[in-house]
Amino acid sequence: MAEPEFTAMGVGIGKRLRSLTRAGQVRINDGRLELLTSYGSEIDSAPVQAVRASKPWFAPEDRALADLNGKRYLLTLNERDPAPGEPGPPAARRFIDAVRKAAGRDG
């Protein structure tokens, strides 16, 4: 099994005003974006070419939006990348860049 292209743990995942998990996992692996609960159960997944990742307007720097299968998820990551060896999810900007790169939309 290949190493995931992007992994973030401890991510808050919500849908509208409802929190689905406060310590979930976001993973890009084999051309798919997967949103997982803290127990590893799948919330949703889609091919990265069909995913739209963006920064929400008027939101803190640690937030990102991911549109999968017609549903919009609000992801709460970190404002900055953690230092090497420091636990915590990576920055929201790094997640958005990873989705664009995996989908072949560099730019």
Side-chain angles (χ1 to χ4, degrees):
M1 189 172 185
E3 192 69 24
E5 300 162 36
F6 177 86
T7 302
M9 301 181 85
V11 177
I13 302 173
K15 192 171 163 191
R16 297 196 184 224
L17 297 175
R18 190 173 132 220
S19 174
L20 301 175
T21 182
R22 290 188 289 172
Q25 200 175 22
V26 176
R27 188 168 50 199
I28 298 175
N29 192 18
D30 294 331
R32 290 190 70 79
L33 174 69
E34 301 170 330
L35 302 178
L36 308 169
T37 66
S38 56
Y39 298 109
S41 301
E42 185 175 290
I43 295 170
D44 206 348
S45 71
V48 287
Q49 289 83 6
V51 173
R52 197 175 120 230
S54 60
K55 181 87 182 80
W57 290 18
F58 305 111
E61 286 293 313
D62 63 347
R63 305 286 164 87
L65 292 173
D67 293 335
L68 286 84
N69 303 320
K71 299 175 200 136
R72 178 169 287 175
Y73 296 95
L74 179 64
L75 309 176
T76 304
L77 295 119
N78 260 351
E79 292 181 20
R80 61 173 179 78
D81 283 324
E86 181 182 311
R93 172 58 45 201
R94 198 169 126 226
F95 163 73
I96 295 167
D97 291 343
V99 170
R100 290 181 179 157
K101 181 180 177 192
R105 294 181 290 222
D106 292 331

